[in-house]
Amino acid sequence: RYPLSTTVMDGKYVNGFQASFKDLFFVGLNDAGKLVGGKFFDKSSLDRLQPQFGATFVPVLLQNGQKSVIPAKWKVSPKRAPRTVIGNYKDDQLLIIVVDGYNEGGSSGATLEELQGRMYKLGIVDAYNLDGGGSSSLIVNNRVVNNPSDGSLRPVPTHFLFYK
């Protein structure tokens, strides 16, 4: 597996910068540990935010406290699924939600609209869908604390790690 598009690790572009296109956006944390994200059409716009790490995903759920339009194809394919989303409150505290589901066929988990609504009600300012399906895993203190739909951890090209 390879990163989808723009990926930053240790403040450096892994495979160069690729401008946002279609529904893709970049999300990560800057050098102050604050969530940064959105669509970036030139490298200098993203560089100004000083990302230390991050990757490209789809779609944006909230920006500046307002619900973003979820592209039609992401509402139906799959409709319900295991999901991972990240958002920030106005004081820059992060909220990460990992939703379990037993498959990617649409019969369990959550819809992006449900997660968007939940994060909006919780007062999240910016929220981004990170990934779903078998990639939705949460590990705390070296222990998997959710039930990945693949039955075990899936190899992924990018992931978010948080340390004290």
Side-chain angles (χ1 to χ4, degrees):
R1 297 183 182 252
Y2 298 94
L4 186 60
S5 185
T6 300
T7 301
V8 174
M9 185 170 67
D10 296 325
K12 296 180 177 26
Y13 293 90
V14 174
N15 293 316
F17 173 83
Q18 184 175 12
S20 295
F21 62 96
K22 296 185 182 179
D23 304 329
L24 295 177
F25 69 88
F26 175 86
V27 63
L29 295 181
N30 69 11
D31 58 346
K34 294 182 180 181
L35 190 67
V36 296
K39 293 188 174 194
F40 298 94
F41 300 102
D42 57 79
K43 184 177 178 287
S44 62
S45 296
L46 181 53
D47 286 346
R48 277 193 287 281
L49 299 178
Q50 301 176 318
Q52 287 303 296
F53 73 89
T56 303
F57 295 100
V58 291
V60 174
L61 299 176
L62 299 170
Q63 281 207 298
N64 299 317
Q66 300 299 313
K67 292 181 180 179
S68 300
V69 174
I70 297 173
K73 77 176 191 175
W74 296 104
K75 291 182 182 180
V76 296
S77 180
K79 185 169 176 72
R80 301 184 75 76
R83 307 248 185 222
T84 304
V85 297
I86 189 170
N88 65 298
Y89 292 96
K90 65 182 175 182
D91 65 359
D92 291 320
Q93 287 188 68
L94 295 176
L95 174 66
I96 300 166
I97 297 176
V98 177
V99 177
D100 274 345
Y102 57 84
N103 66 41
E104 296 178 41
S107 59
S108 65
T111 67
L112 289 174
E113 290 170 310
E114 288 170 339
L115 286 172
Q116 180 186 56
R118 176 64 51 110
M119 295 190 94
Y120 180 81
K121 287 179 185 175
L122 290 171
I124 296 296
V125 177
D126 300 299
Y128 306 94
N129 180 61
L130 294 181
D131 210 342
S135 299
S136 288
S137 300
L138 182 62
I139 301 166
V140 178
N141 295 327
N142 295 318
R143 192 170 71 80
V144 179
V145 297
N146 74 315
N147 296 303
S149 64
D150 287 356
S152 62
L153 295 178
R154 176 187 286 183
V156 293
T158 58
H159 50 272
F160 283 50
L161 300 172
F162 297 94
Y163 297 93
K164 284 185 179 181

